[in-house]
Amino acid sequence: LVAQLPSAWLLYRLFVRPVRSLAREIDRLGQTGNDCPPILKPLPIDELESLRRALYDYHQRLSKLNQNLERSSQDFYDQARRDPLTGVFNRRAYDEDWRKLHADRPLRQCALMLFDCDHFKAINDTYGHEVGDSVIKAVAGILQNTLRGEDRLYRLGGDEFATVLAESDAQNAELIATRCREQVLLHDFQQYGIREPVTISIGIAHSSADISLAELQKQADIAMYAAKRPNSRKIEVYGERLQETSPLIANRSIFAIYQTIQDP
């Protein structure tokens, strides 16, 4: 036994202890995620040291690949929620953000604003789709820059945009809408070859209670169509006055008749 002790100690020092050390390092590699721990002093056995460095190299390559996949996944997610023409958020993001907004915290009040470019079809028909796209991009940029820093602008389709003002009352929403409309009026649309002024109509719906997005958008839609009437100030807030005419205004097929009745 005494004669075998040096051999056992040498076996432990040269083989067992390095293997245990390598096993612990492999465990650390699995626990560090993308961060690669530093390589400790070389192992006494060349083959184990080669295996160890191969594992570290593989872990680094795998971590880099994982980071690239995460970035690609995030880019894909962002692109799927963005409107390709204007760069603002799209309808998918609009629906997702509304659900997230209510899931994160109960809202005491909120306001929904719908923006619509006046006579946009006539602009498209007269000057062409390229000019129409320039108008849409310009309006989107103006609105996004005029809204509050935390407010998101969504393009719902065509020339219609929306934003949700969390914790905002109707008066504050109307002030923001006024600034948006003024900034659009100040923009030089003649640079796109348009001779006529470009304006927007804005409908606002406000709620101080829990309300579905569909109902709030219906109210804002009614207010926006009221804002598009001739001789209107182009900004309308949904309220009791519009409740009486809402069934008529909500029916877009007879909206022109309603305009004639209101403005003979």
Side-chain angles (χ1 to χ4, degrees), residues 238-258:
Y238 184 84
E240 293 182 1
R241 182 174 59 84
L242 291 180
Q243 287 178 3
E244 300 176 356
T245 56
S246 62
L248 190 59
I249 299 177
N251 190 332
R252 301 185 183 187
S253 64
I254 57 176
F255 179 66
I257 301 176
Y258 173 74

Side-chain angles (χ1 to χ4, degrees), residues 116 203 220-229 249 252 255 259:
D116 189 90
D221 197 45
I222 291 170
M224 189 267 291
Y225 271 87
K228 293 180 75 70
R229 291 179 299 172
I249 299 177
R252 301 185 183 187
F255 179 66
Q259 287 182 312

Side-chain angles (χ1 to χ4, degrees), residues 43 48 51 182 220 225 244:
L43 297 174
L48 289 179
L51 177 60
E182 290 173 348
Y225 271 87
E244 300 176 356

Side-chain angles (χ1 to χ4, degrees), residues 1-13:
L1 290 176
V2 173
Q4 291 178 354
L5 281 176
S7 299
W9 177 84
L10 187 62
L11 180 65
Y12 174 80
R13 181 176 180 83

Side-chain angles (χ1 to χ4, degrees), residues 23 34 54 72 88 91 107 109 131 161 169 179 185 200 211 216 255 264:
N34 293 333
S72 298
V88 302
R91 181 177 284 275
L107 292 177
Q109 58 182 346
V131 173
F161 297 87
D169 56 27
R179 289 203 305 268
L185 287 173
I200 60 173
I211 186 173
L216 198 63
F255 179 66

Side-chain angles (χ1 to χ4, degrees), residues 12 16-31 37 40 43 56:
Y12 174 80
V16 177
R17 191 166 69 174
V19 170
R20 286 181 176 177
S21 176
L22 181 60
R24 287 194 296 268
E25 290 188 40
I26 292 174
D27 289 339
R28 283 197 302 148
L29 284 175
Q31 297 170 2
L40 303 178
L43 297 174
Y56 270 81

Side-chain angles (χ1 to χ4, degrees), residues 109-113 163-166 168-170 173 204-207 216:
Q109 58 182 346
C110 69
L112 171 65
M113 289 201 301
T163 188
V164 178
L165 307 178
S168 174
D169 56 27
I204 303 171
H206 173 263
S207 174
L216 198 63

